Amino acid sequence: MLGNFVYYNPTKLYFGDDAQKHLAEALKDFGPKVLLTYGGGSIKENGIYDEMVKALKEAGKEVIELGGVMPNPTVKKLNEGREIARKNNVDLILAVGGGSTIDYSKGVAASAWYDGDAWDHFWMHFSDPTPDARIIPVGAVLTMAGTGSEMNGGSVITNEETKMKIGKVFDSRLMPKFAILNPKFTYSLPKRQLSAGIFDIMSHLMEQYFSGDDDSTSDYIAEGLMRSLIASSRVAVENPHDYEARSNIMWTATWALNTLVKMGKKQDWMVHMIGQAIGAHTNATHGMTLSAISGPYYRYIMEYGQHRFARFAKVVWEIPAEGKTEKELAIAGIEALEKWIRDIGATSEISSLGVTETMLEGIADATFLGGGYKKLSREDVIEVLRRSL
Ligand code: NZQ
Ligand code: ZN
């Protein structure tokens, strides 16, 4: 049965191979000073930067630049951005990039006008901005499909000193006011990032799907999204310029984590909790941390949610149930997932991300414990990590 919920998502989306044409229209609602945030420079190589600056200038905006947002953005970088945003009294932050740049921009937007220790307040204590807090609006131009950050309130920040990577989910005030989704903007992504993004999408869906055993519309939606993702991923890894596949992947990413498929149901999120702890210790690519532990994790918890895993095999992977026990069917589904991880070029071992046996305890200590079908203890986490090496 669906639980009770409030659903509200204020992000306006512009989707398509000319979506950036709507930028001028989207910018009208905001003041003249725009903080343009971006990552390590890919947008300068693929021409998106020039296009954005031109559009901003034509819209009469004053552009303040803040580049160099790294994958897995850090507290140090966050504090640099807070200072720049505040000093320049910006009216809008336009994030042009993947999840890291968009997450980062939300973090700056929430904390620029907060006087205390932002990391401690918003991330360590998961506090929300007060009702009267001054929050800078954020707009997004997406260049990598995966995180869903373009239509959610998530902001994941890494503290390199304490080796903690924490995802704060802000309320709707921090969701992007608008997002430009042009699938062609993702064409220049390196293959490894394409694979990581695809697996991240799948993981978001599985985290919300593998919990509960009731009849929920949210799970049927998740199954449809997973099926679409699997089909499109196979095309995109072979032919990265296939627009149909890339557009489906981008749209799936957005819906996989814009709060829709979690409505009224239980969720898991342990793969992300462990994956983030691995990220904090290795600075590894987010999607790869998830693909590396998913097989061993789902095998570890399968018996506690066997019925759902069997449904996953049947509906998502189209594995015939005939002649199989429920357990055999459930295992076949996980095997199909593991094969797909290899097929799309995502990693299956944390050792390939730089994790060694001696790091397992530290990673387990940095993991927020919880779970869906099974609540994991610290020892369980270490065991899952060991099986993922
Ligand atoms: O730095 P640039 O130059 O932008 O290059 C990036 C980066 O090196 C590159 N890239 C992005 N678009 C490109 C491109 N290269 C060529 N052409 C393009 N069109 O790809 C690399 C990875 O980018 P990044 O933004 O780090 O990737 P992703 O979108 O996967 O974001 C990862 C971050 O998001 C967090 C992760 O933990 C991680 O910190 N997450 C955010 C979530 C949310 N907001 O809800 C949920 C997720 O589970 C995730 O935790
Ligand atoms: Zn993720």
Side-chain angles (χ1 to χ4, degrees):
M1 188 188 75
L2 282 171
N4 304 348
F5 58 84
V6 175
Y7 180 74
Y8 174 63
N9 194 317
T11 304
K12 183 169 186 175
L13 301 176
Y14 300 92
F15 189 95
D17 64 1
D18 64 351
Q20 68 275 20
K21 286 193 185 145
H22 296 283
L23 189 56
E25 173 196 331
L27 289 169
K28 275 196 195 127
D29 295 338
F30 307 95
K33 287 188 167 190
V34 177
L35 183 64
L36 175 66
T37 52
Y38 55 92
S42 65
I43 64 164
K44 292 199 170 164
E45 283 160 32
N46 57 25
I48 298 173
Y49 170 86
D50 289 340
E51 211 173 335
M52 293 303 119
V53 171
K54 187 163 170 275
L56 285 162
K57 293 270 163 67
E58 279 173 7
K61 305 295 181 186
E62 178 188 339
V63 181
I64 298 115
E65 281 196 35
L66 173 50
V69 179
M70 62 290 282
N72 307 322
T74 63
V75 174
K76 193 165 168 239
K77 186 71 184 174
L78 174 78
N79 289 333
E80 178 196 325
R82 293 170 68 201
E83 213 175 297
I84 292 172
R86 194 164 167 150
K87 196 175 76 196
N88 290 283
N89 197 11
V90 300
D91 300 303
L92 173 75
I93 303 180
L94 184 65
V96 184
S100 294
T101 298
I102 304 174
D103 279 19
Y104 171 78
S105 302
K106 292 177 207 166
V108 171
S111 62
W113 293 98
Y114 174 75
D115 285 324
D117 178 340
W119 165 256
D120 185 68
H121 184 69
F122 295 109
W123 283 269
M124 287 300 287
H125 288 96
F126 295 102
S127 307
D128 286 311
T130 55
D132 61 345
R134 182 168 170 189
I135 293 171
I136 304 167
V138 174
V141 179
L142 191 65
T143 66
M144 168 165 174
T147 65
S149 188
E150 65 275 14
M151 203 185 185
N152 69 34
S155 173
V156 185
I157 299 293
T158 298
N159 188 322
E160 288 174 304
E161 283 167 23
T162 61
K163 293 210 187 306
M164 295 287 286
K165 181 176 182 184
I166 301 178
K168 162 70 186 161
V169 181
F170 288 106
D171 62 46
S172 57
R173 290 174 293 171
L174 268 307
M175 290 180 180
K177 302 294 176 210
F178 63 88
I180 306 278
L181 308 183
N182 182 341
K184 286 192 172 167
F185 281 7
T186 68
Y187 280 0
S188 54
L189 260 183
K191 185 94 179 276
R192 186 182 152 78
Q193 293 297 339
L194 170 63
S195 306
I198 290 170
F199 193 80
D200 194 20
I201 303 166
M202 186 68 176
S203 183
H204 296 156
L205 292 165
M206 293 191 296
E207 299 271 33
Q208 297 164 96
Y209 181 73
F210 287 124
S211 208
D213 224 345
D214 51 344
D215 188 40
S216 158
T217 302
S218 295
D219 290 324
Y220 291 87
I221 297 172
E223 286 167 348
L225 292 171
M226 286 191 266
R227 288 166 59 95
S228 167
L229 178 69
I230 292 162
S232 296
S233 69
R234 296 201 189 280
V235 177
V237 294
E238 285 303 319
N239 179 9
H241 285 211
D242 187 295
Y243 184 79
E244 185 173 61
R246 296 303 283 261
S247 59
N248 284 334
I249 291 170
M250 185 175 255
W251 194 223
T252 307
T254 303
W255 286 92
L257 198 57
N258 70 356
T259 75
L260 178 78
V261 301
K262 74 168 186 180
M263 282 301 137
K265 73 177 303 281
K266 294 180 187 152
Q267 301 159 70
D268 183 335
W269 292 106
M270 270 322 285
V271 170
H272 271 69
M273 293 306 103
I274 302 173
Q276 283 178 13
I278 294 170
H281 279 254
T282 61
N283 198 26
T285 299
H286 172 66
M288 296 301 185
T289 65
L290 311 175
S291 62
I293 55 170
S294 286
Y297 173 71
Y298 289 125
R299 283 176 183 274
Y300 195 73
I301 66 159
M302 192 208 72
E303 65 177 293
Y304 303 92
Q306 191 169 289
H307 194 58
R308 177 56 54 93
F309 282 96
R311 174 172 157 176
F312 176 66
K314 206 164 57 180
V315 179
V316 177
W317 298 102
E318 298 176 3
I319 299 169
E322 292 77 43
K324 292 188 188 68
T325 63
E326 186 179 74
K327 187 174 179 186
E328 285 166 352
L329 186 58
I331 290 172
I334 299 176
E335 282 169 354
L337 173 68
E338 290 169 335
K339 180 176 180 305
W340 179 71
I341 289 172
R342 292 190 296 274
D343 289 348
I344 61 167
T347 189
S348 307
E349 296 95 20
I350 53 175
S351 51
S352 72
L353 305 173
V355 178
T356 57
E357 181 94 35
T358 55
M359 293 163 74
L360 302 190
E361 298 220 354
I363 292 172
D365 289 337
T367 301
F368 288 89
L369 298 176
Y373 289 120
K374 176 174 169 55
K375 302 289 171 217
L376 259 58
S377 66
R378 181 178 178 278
E379 284 61 45
D380 290 325
V381 172
I382 293 172
E383 186 52 33
V384 170
L385 287 166
R386 186 164 288 124
R387 293 180 188 188
S388 310
L389 270 169

